[in-house]
Amino acid sequence: MAMDDGEWVECVDPATKRTFYANRRTRLTQWQKPPGWTNPPNTTGQLRYAEPEAEEALPDGWEEMTDPVSLKKFYVNHFKRTTTWERPTRGGGTQTSEGKNMLRLNQKGSHTTWDDPHSGGSSRADSKCRDVEYSFLSPGRGESKSRAGPPRLDFKVVSVPDSLRQHCPGCGVQFTYTVRRHHCRLCGDVFCDTCSQTRKVLPLDGAEFERPVRICDWCAKDVKNGNYFSLRRYLTPLTLYNPHERRLRVEDGGGSGEKSEDITVDTVAASLSSLSVDIDSMALDPTTFQDKMTLDSLELVGAVGKHLDERVTAEYAIRVLGGLLVLGNMSGDDSFASAVYDAKHNIVDHVLKISEWDGTDDRSVDAIEQAVKVIFYVTDPNFIAGFVSREFDVDAKDEGPIDVDDAVMVSSEQRNLVDLDVHRAFRSMLDHATNTSSPSLQRWATVTLRHLIAEDMRRTCLYSKGPNKYVSFLGQLVSTGGIIILCSLLSSEDSETRGSATVALEAIVVSARQIALTLGNESVKSRAGRGTREDSAIVDAIRQSGGCGQSLAHLLISADESVALMACSYASSLLSPLLTDPRGTGRALQQYTTSVEISSAADGLMAHRHAAIALAIGDGSPPSCLPSLVQIFSSNESRPIKLQVVAAECLAAIALAVSAICENPQDALISDARKALQVMLDENLTTVAYRFVSSASARTLDASRDTPQARLREAAGLMLFALCSCSDEASAHLLCNKALPTFLSIITEPAMLGSPSALRGAWASKGLAFLEAATTLVLRAWKTRDESSLGMLLDALDAGVIGLASKQIAARVFLRDHEQAYSQMRIKIAISFLLAALFGIANSEGEGASRLYDAVDADCAAALAFGDERDAVRVSVINSTIQVLGATLPYARNYASEDRDEPLPMMDM
């Protein structure tokens, strides 16, 4: 475009003080200089052009980088771990007001980036938390070039034909011969005189603009704020054009007598194109967009949404809609996402249709990507929760108290939330997730899967009954190959796609478990967090599809802490029932009796044990995941404590799985379990775990508090318990390092046997793992007639084991609380095995027997000193055991057959 025509003028935005360029003829605005632009001398007197200033050096700790997608410069503060689009100054702020456009970074594993919303980049900021992941904003992350969208069209303000407005859009008054029509010279719409009395000089080309001209009250608000290019000029043709007619043929019906023009589909496309550019410009500084966005969100989204069903305008409309949602996400404004559901047109259905376009050209793929982006934002779990709760509050005020379930149903119906076909959207996202020709589209589709899984779980849990019953799609993922597709994405060349696929797989497992627990009977609900048949089938499919092998190992060894945490969290979701389900370790001590047959296949946890073995030995291609987990666990303070805790929990679950399989030599997995055990021994897991348990920091922990360090110690105790129950090498290492006194010392800490475990659940106490580990060591020494058995007996007596046993055996069991009763019984069972082993060792060692009965006498004397006649005889410990046996027998038969997935272990006790 020639510059000598004087069509382009340089202006300064009064809000941000940034320079922009306006075309007087087309009224197009843009931040970039027009082609061929030269700075003219300031002779017009209308606007003062800002002279560029020399850029000063960046403050210490700041670095200038370039976004590979939008090619924009951004600045990184390596001290505060923050980024900003504005160049910082040595005064401590940026070129805008301090902190105005600053994004706080986090290490929460959200894996979000903030790209130019007009580009094909991947912006996945949470709708409530606008944080940005530090490492993912760095260049070199495999970002692809922005895919070309539809061509930009020049927009010209349309003077609305009089016949299209029978009523004033401002006040609603009907136009008559006395109530005349008047055109706003800024937006082109028709208003009555009352609604258009403002006169302003506009920086537009033409003789009529050399003096004040009429503008409507709506545009007057924009002009008052210094915005001479109101967005309402785009809204007028979008509202008045009928998309079901190719062209509006109108005849000027008189009225004002002012010149008017036809509104065509080309006008609408040009309007949407320019509107998209303006919205993208606002995204450069989302903190000030509220000053420029004077249009009602529902009105704007509704006007844009009506043009999604015609392809010539849909590719522009979907881009506007995506830009609005990105802008709202950046600024914390959910009104645009709400308007997608609230608008009269079924916008979500049209968006789904666009996401299903089958074109492979750049323009089609760009439109598909924008549609996927829209689905991502309108299914954000945080947005959905706030959206439904707001409507519930309105319903409660209008209709009085109602049932919660009914309120949620009414809320969803009224808000048209059910218009979104979640099954259809999920299938579409799976299809796009495999589109390697467009990495940007692949990223958006994969990350959207997580939101759809959350929405699927919400609907399944709420609408499981009644005429509007909703059926989850999770049950179909195994049979239709959805799990296979997601597992294949773990080996994607794109890092963000790999991460999103990992999060989606974790969400599927957790959602399936939660749905089964929510919809199950009361006995199942009491087992929250434990395995179910539904999630077992999914876990098995993930393992068979390679979801526990080399691809996951590569994520675990990532130097990016957030990626490693994401991979650990995913592995933990596959294994957690091995920790939280009492069936996983309920028979570990019984292997030392000859009358009990052990079968690990009968407890319903075999799918999780299969996954644990796969994580330990890999899928046939090195590396496996276990070495990386050990490295994370043993990293001390060099890795985040949260990452260490999750890795330790995974290792504990793997060790328990190996132990459970090794207890039964007839198990089909025995060969793989022994390989996994050898891998753990080769990685010195016993040494690493015991080093942590016996460290000075672990010995000074406050057992009454649930801290990450306490969870680490408990997980290490579980590893040692499992390893010493199936490995002679691990047991020998612990015996050489005097582990028994260490375990007993931990057990005697306050609240260790009385407080529920935060790692395993209310059915286990914090010290149960160490008690069972100590018992296992003594049992192995007794059964193998180990030469160190006498030393273990003496160590146990020196640690006060008799007093501990007497107290725990005599403790009352609260049968009314199933979880607490189970925990107390597990303690009694372990104590009974420990006593049996100690007396067995004493019977074969004369010196040991003497010391043991001396300890019993001391226990009796201590009991008499406190006036406790219960222990007033020589064999008080034995009497306590007999009393427990007598009290248990009447209940054993009933509780062993109770209708629960995990009955109380009366028979074992």
Side-chain angles (χ1 to χ4, degrees), residues 82 134 172 199 253 275 560 609 629 769 815:
T82 56
Y134 183 86
R199 304 293 191 276
L275 176 59
D560 190 326
R609 293 194 180 98
L629 292 171
L815 295 176

Side-chain angles (χ1 to χ4, degrees), residues 317-393:
I318 193 63
R319 196 172 189 88
V320 172
L321 195 57
L324 288 172
L325 293 176
V326 170
L327 187 59
N329 175 264
M330 289 180 174
S331 60
D333 185 357
D334 290 336
S335 62
F336 296 113
S338 300
V340 172
Y341 291 111
D342 290 338
K344 296 180 180 179
H345 312 282
N346 192 351
I347 294 180
V348 290
D349 185 64
H350 292 306
V351 171
L352 277 177
K353 289 180 180 178
I354 296 175
S355 72
E356 294 168 346
W357 284 2
D358 56 1
T360 57
D361 58 287
D362 284 356
R363 291 178 60 172
S364 296
V365 173
D366 177 77
I368 294 171
E369 182 179 325
Q370 296 297 325
V372 172
K373 188 185 300 185
V374 171
I375 297 172
F376 168 81
Y377 285 114
V378 299
T379 56
D380 184 288
N382 292 321
F383 160 69
I384 293 292
F387 183 73
V388 173
S389 63
R390 286 198 305 270
E391 180 60 22
F392 169 71
D393 292 340

Side-chain angles (χ1 to χ4, degrees), residues 484-532:
I484 297 177
I485 293 176
L486 285 172
C487 288
S488 68
L489 295 177
L490 294 180
S491 57
S492 170
E493 295 181 358
D494 183 73
S495 59
E496 289 194 47
T497 300
R498 292 197 301 269
S500 299
T502 305
V503 174
L505 284 169
E506 177 187 355
I508 289 172
V509 175
V510 174
S511 296
R513 189 173 300 151
Q514 185 60 44
I515 289 172
L517 296 173
T518 302
L519 304 184
N521 54 40
E522 292 300 321
S523 64
V524 175
K525 290 181 180 180
S526 68
R527 297 176 52 252
R530 307 177 196 175
T532 64

